[in-house]
Amino acid sequence: MNNKALKINYAAVIITGFIAFVLSLIWYSPLLFGKIWTEHRNSIPQSAPGWTMFFAPLRELIVSYVMAMLIIRLAIVNWKDSIKLAFLLWLAFQAVGMAGAIIWDNMPLKLGSVHAGDWLMKMLFMAASLTIWHNRKTQLVS
């Protein structure tokens, strides 16, 4: 593999991260799981300060960057293998974290499931998208 194939495509990371953020907005909307989310939160729904929407996509951008780095460093070229990686990362970090919140912090199971499902959906999307994008770029360079 040449050096160009090992470089992170920052445009892919940014676009994938922002699309994942939009998918999350849909996930928590009344179209999907917004009712469960609103019903099981402990606080009264309040509008978030405007600055939070500026920083909110940073989570997805960070995950997108790390996912891209892992895909490149592990030389994953098949989107199915990247899906397996994303699932294992989700299981080890997000699912375990949500399980802790459900067990120790009395988070309602439905709410924890909505949160965990959101991250599973986003991580699977990011892994597949970044792998396909990276492979396309690598094939063009070769």
Side-chain angles (χ1 to χ4, degrees), residues 25 27-30 32-43 45-46 108 110-112 114-115:
L25 291 175
W27 186 269
Y28 286 102
S29 77
L32 294 177
F33 302 104
K35 183 178 178 186
I36 294 170
W37 178 64
T38 303
E39 181 181 319
H40 291 285
R41 290 186 334 163
N42 290 331
S43 63
Q46 300 173 3
K110 284 185 178 181
L111 182 60
V114 169
H115 289 320

Side-chain angles (χ1 to χ4, degrees), residues 41-72:
R41 290 186 334 163
N42 290 331
S43 63
I44 297 170
Q46 300 173 3
S47 60
W51 61 266
T52 59
M53 288 307 279
F54 177 75
F55 288 105
L58 283 178
R59 300 173 315 146
E60 286 80 3
L61 290 171
I62 291 167
V63 172
S64 183
Y65 174 78
V66 171
M67 188 70 71
M69 188 174 59
L70 288 171
I71 288 166
I72 291 168

Side-chain angles (χ1 to χ4, degrees), residues 83-98:
I83 292 287
K84 291 175 191 173
L85 172 67
F87 178 76
L88 290 173
L89 290 171
W90 170 83
L91 185 64
F93 298 106
Q94 187 64 36
V96 168
M98 280 295 108

